Amino acid sequence: MDRYCVFGNPIAHSKSPLIHAEFASLTQQQLSYDKQLVAEDQFPQAVAEFRRQGGQGANVTLPFKQQAFELCDGLTDRARLSGAVNTLYWQGDQLWGDNTDGEGLVRDLLRNGVELKGCRILLIGAGGAVRGVIPSLFEQQPQSIVVANRTQAKAETLAQHFAELGDISSCAMDEIDGAFDLIINGTSASLSSTALPVNADVIQRAKCCYDMAYGSEPTVFQQQAKQLGVSKSLDGLGMLIQQAAVSFERWRGVTPDPQPVYDLIKRQL
Ligand code: ATR
């Protein structure tokens, strides 16, 4: 049976085995998909050993996405641009890396009726999560992207890094001004239930607010948006399922329907 896995540390919480088992069942694919806890200094060895045992492909989660990027012999354009890899596969003896996070976000937004072409996007945060999605967002030809971060210098570094892809600029989080169609929270503030110090006017004018985090209840950012009357506020569960679907597609050549898996995981949160 073809073998896949997800490498991470910690990894016990990962929903990837459940998601991929459901995809396999929905598409009648015979495969196994496990979690692998890897010591921080053992990532290259773990990948090599997995391949030696017949592994066909793998996902990579924290803290190994950058190490995976460095380990690969070949990279897709979006993985190269984002500097991080979440999906590994082999072509002959060569290890290849892709980053499906951005495509997962885009698919989830489009599926929820959010128009991206010509859209003015505000991205809040400047860590790995935000960096990983910028190339795929630009593929949708938005009008502009503004990156706002608590530490402005990091937002500025990202804006400079992606300048060749389109209209991108940066600002400090408490200085955000202007009108945006879509606001995406890519900070880890939701995980600590912290409200973001973003001007209420800016949130109020958005057509959609999206939090890359998710939980059993709406996130603090979703609550902020709702209180300010934003009609559409989404969390990142759809992105999680969709990035997995893009990985599955790369490995298996078939596209699974994300909806049944979304419903299943939503019920379990
Ligand atoms: P990830 O890989 O999840 O993106 P990261 O690289 O550590 O994690 O980045 C975390 C992001 O969340 C950063 O943009 C961070 O802002 P700083 O660069 O100023 O540290 C942001 N962040 C975390 N906690 C925050 C909070 N309480 N308020 C605002 N921003 C926060």
Side-chain angles (χ1 to χ4, degrees), residues 207-226:
K207 293 184 194 132
C208 174
C209 285
Y210 191 103
D211 199 332
M212 288 198 213
Y214 66 89
S216 53
E217 302 297 324
T219 67
V220 172
F221 180 60
Q222 283 183 287
Q223 290 170 32
Q224 267 179 295
K226 198 167 175 207

Side-chain angles (χ1 to χ4, degrees), residues 62 124-131 148-152 154 173 186-192 194-197:
L62 299 179
I124 306 177
V130 163
R131 192 185 170 102
N149 195 43
R150 184 174 58 180
T151 312
Q152 188 183 349
K154 279 164 102 184
M173 194 169 334
T187 70
S188 42
S190 298
L191 305 175
S192 55
T194 310
L196 295 171

Side-chain angles (χ1 to χ4, degrees), residues 13-23 214-216 236-238 240-242 244 258-269:
H13 66 287
S14 173
K15 298 192 192 316
S16 294
L18 171 62
I19 295 171
H20 284 281
E22 288 299 313
F23 285 163
Y214 66 89
S216 53
L237 181 59
L240 174 79
I241 311 286
Q242 294 280 20
Q259 190 64 47
V261 186
Y262 181 91
D263 294 341
L264 175 76
I265 295 193
K266 188 91 191 156
R267 280 199 302 276
Q268 293 182 355
L269 287 177

Side-chain angles (χ1 to χ4, degrees), residues 123-160:
L123 265 176
I124 306 177
V130 163
R131 192 185 170 102
V133 300
I134 292 175
S136 297
L137 287 173
F138 267 125
E139 276 176 22
Q140 299 300 310
Q141 301 177 313
Q143 187 184 109
S144 57
I145 295 180
V146 174
V147 184
N149 195 43
R150 184 174 58 180
T151 312
Q152 188 183 349
K154 279 164 102 184
E156 179 54 26
T157 302
L158 278 196
Q160 281 173 8

